[in-house]
Amino acid sequence: MKQRVISAIIMVAIGVTAIVLGGYVFGAFIFIVAALALHEFYTAFEKKECRPVKFCGIFFLVMLAIMIIFKTPSYTELIIKLPFGIGERNLFEPIFYITLMCIFTTIVFKHEKHGFADVGVTLFGGFYTVYLVSYAVILRNMNHGIWLVILPLVTAVAADTFALFVGVKFGKHKLIPKVSPKKTVEGAVGGLVGAIVCTVVYFLIMNAFDVSIGLKWFDFVIIGAIGGVIAQIGDLTASSIKRYLGIKDFGKLIPGHGGVMDRIDSYLVVFPIVFLYMVLRGVC
């Protein structure tokens, strides 16, 4: 437990520092997190005799790097100005096409090593890790970015924490025992309620600092509710993948926590929620 707490403190310190500094520092932090998560994901599937085309994962990271360096509006809108009078072009489609062709070429000429199932793992791994975490960069680059990027973290951490403690204290009915034996229905409800409460409290803190992102208190209730559910689905998804692969953790990089993927599995799916909700509400 002591090791787990120390690791958590160090991770929080590094994460908060990167968020506060923003810009390329935060971009580099997210890039490293994405690269480590992608590596862990691919390595984990290799233990199931699956061989993702690892080098093609570089293309997913290249797209993230372009997004960070040129501050493009999203991971799929890599609009940059090209020289020689070519003008502005969206590089996502050509880069993604190159990625596909590299994968296809690999399974044709290295068919004894790579099969069609490896294509799915390669593509899914890239979008699961790199694409989803890219929303953290989008949020940080927006007005009041520090507050925005912390919002999904508050929601996800609250969901995880309350689900754990409520489950341990009051849990009696198993949620999905074949996926995660320790999770209970009571814990899931506790995680949902905890996410809503903490998200609303975060709204009150923002108000106290006179920070407005164009959303009302009830919007935070909705974000907390959706995020509370999605965060737990993200955690269960990672648990399901690990159970399928027959592993306990994705890695051993973080003492007491496992790998990077083990730490960010619920965060990944919540980052997009805040941005997409703000888009639907027309405030960004």
Side-chain angles (χ1 to χ4, degrees):
M1 177 60 75
K2 181 179 179 181
Q3 187 181 55
R4 185 179 178 86
V5 171
I6 293 174
S7 296
I9 292 173
I10 294 174
M11 285 189 295
V12 169
I14 295 174
V16 170
T17 300
I19 290 172
V20 171
L21 292 177
Y24 292 129
V25 174
F26 183 70
F29 171 72
I30 292 298
F31 183 88
I32 292 171
V33 168
L36 291 172
L38 183 63
H39 172 72
E40 288 177 355
F41 185 88
Y42 284 162
T43 301
F45 268 87
E46 287 181 327
K47 296 176 183 178
K48 191 70 173 179
E49 297 185 358
C50 183
R51 294 184 175 89
V53 188
K54 273 188 171 183
F55 77 89
C56 287
I58 295 174
F59 286 94
F60 290 98
L61 294 172
V62 166
M63 289 189 280
L64 179 62
I66 292 173
M67 175 188 168
I68 292 169
I69 294 171
F70 293 95
K71 296 182 179 179
T72 59
S74 79
Y75 186 79
T76 57
E77 294 183 65
L78 306 180
I79 302 172
I80 65 172
K81 190 173 183 178
L82 299 176
F84 310 115
I86 297 176
E88 292 187 343
R89 292 291 185 273
N90 184 355
L91 297 185
F92 175 80
E93 290 183 355
I95 292 177
F96 186 60
Y97 177 75
I98 291 172
T99 303
L100 282 178
M101 291 311 300
C102 285
I103 296 174
F104 293 165
T105 302
T106 300
I107 65 172
V108 168
F109 292 97
K110 299 255 185 179
H111 58 273
E112 294 181 354
K113 181 179 180 180
H114 297 283
F116 285 101
D118 301 330
V119 176
V121 174
T122 302
L123 295 176
F124 177 74
F127 282 107
Y128 181 43
T129 57
V130 185
Y131 170 69
L132 290 179
V133 81
S134 72
Y135 278 91
V137 178
I138 296 172
L139 291 173
R140 183 60 185 87
N141 287 341
M142 295 171 65
N143 191 30
H144 299 304
I146 293 178
W147 294 90
L148 283 174
V149 80
I150 291 177
L151 175 54
L153 295 176
V154 169
T155 305
V157 170
D160 288 346
T161 304
F162 277 80
L164 173 63
F165 286 104
V166 173
V168 170
K169 185 71 175 177
F170 304 104
K172 294 181 179 179
H173 303 87
K174 297 298 182 181
L175 184 62
I176 311 177
K178 290 186 177 180
V179 173
S180 186
K182 295 182 179 180
K183 286 183 171 56
T184 63
V185 174
E186 292 81 4
V189 173
L192 173 60
V193 174
I196 294 173
V197 171
C198 289
T199 304
V200 172
V201 169
Y202 188 69
F203 165 75
L204 297 176
I205 294 174
M206 290 176 66
N207 266 2
F209 284 89
D210 198 27
V211 176
S212 175
I213 58 174
L215 299 178
K216 307 296 183 182
W217 68 269
F218 60 83
D219 291 309
F220 282 74
V221 173
I222 296 173
I223 290 174
I226 298 175
V229 172
I230 295 298
Q232 296 185 67
I233 291 177
D235 184 53
L236 287 167
T237 298
S239 296
S240 180
I241 293 173
K242 287 186 284 188
R243 183 161 292 274
Y244 169 75
L245 297 175
I247 59 175
K248 183 178 182 294
D249 297 312
F250 278 104
K252 299 180 180 179
L253 182 63
I254 308 172
H257 292 266
V260 172
M261 274 297 299
D262 299 292
R263 185 61 274 167
I264 68 171
D265 51 15
S266 58
Y267 306 160
L268 283 175
V269 292
V270 182
F271 279 125
I273 291 300
V274 175
F275 175 76
L276 295 175
Y277 186 83
M278 293 180 69
V279 169
L280 291 174
R281 289 282 280 119
V283 295
C284 72

